Amino acid sequence: MNKKRSDCPISCSLEMWGDKWSLLIIRDLMIKKECTYGDFLKADEKIATNILASRLQNLLENGIIVKKDHPENKLKILYRLTEKGIDLIPLIVEINLWGDQYLTIPDDRKKLVEEIKKDKDKFIKKAKAYLLN
């Protein structure tokens, strides 16, 4: 890990996963469980390949994600959240709730937010179980 700017837990956490692209990678892994490099490139946000490679490396070095061999293609690698990455679910849930309050979000995301609002703790527990299996 790079030299810390401070000992503040917010600052240290943001250095690991706090930029836009890292959070979107984490989001995709929470939704799909496993992704290839190409899967990330297909996301609506259109991440550049050099930024994707850099963010994946940072997330790997900080133990947020792991790589594993693709079972169907030896040339591909699958990325998956570690337990440390899965523990970011409550944060992602809160970002979704904040976004619902202050932004216009698409209908498919609205359904997700409504599910979260019904029982946030149950949603988080279910999401963690999905990702740990």
Side-chain angles (χ1 to χ4, degrees), residues 69-85:
D69 293 333
H70 194 289
E72 299 166 12
N73 186 335
K74 291 183 181 187
L75 299 176
K76 290 185 179 184
I77 293 172
L78 286 171
Y79 295 90
R80 185 179 180 124
L81 291 169
T82 62
E83 191 169 337
K84 186 176 179 180

Side-chain angles (χ1 to χ4, degrees), residues 55-116:
R55 296 317 184 272
L56 288 171
Q57 186 62 38
N58 183 56
L59 291 169
L60 283 162
E61 288 172 0
N62 284 289
I64 306 294
I65 64 173
V66 292
K67 294 193 289 190
K68 69 179 208 174
D69 293 333
H70 194 289
E72 299 166 12
N73 186 335
K74 291 183 181 187
L75 299 176
K76 290 185 179 184
I77 293 172
L78 286 171
Y79 295 90
R80 185 179 180 124
L81 291 169
T82 62
E83 191 169 337
K84 186 176 179 180
I86 291 168
D87 283 341
L88 290 168
I89 290 173
L91 176 75
I92 300 298
V93 163
E94 292 301 330
I95 292 171
N96 273 286
L97 293 173
W98 185 92
D100 180 53
Q101 184 172 349
Y102 295 104
L103 306 169
T104 303
I105 60 174
D107 289 339
D108 63 325
R109 295 289 174 171
K110 271 276 193 211
K111 291 175 187 173
L112 177 72
V113 171
E114 292 307 316
E115 186 180 342
I116 292 169

Side-chain angles (χ1 to χ4, degrees), residues 7-44:
D7 289 327
C8 170
I10 294 172
S11 177
C12 293
S13 297
L14 290 174
E15 287 178 21
M16 279 194 255
W17 47 256
D19 67 278
K20 168 187 174 177
W21 296 113
S22 294
L23 285 171
L24 293 173
I25 289 167
I26 292 165
R27 173 207 62 192
D28 288 351
L29 291 171
M30 285 183 180
I31 293 169
K32 298 175 186 168
K33 197 173 186 175
E34 296 179 330
C35 292
T36 63
Y37 193 88
D39 293 332
F40 294 120
L41 290 175
K42 293 174 191 169
D44 292 341

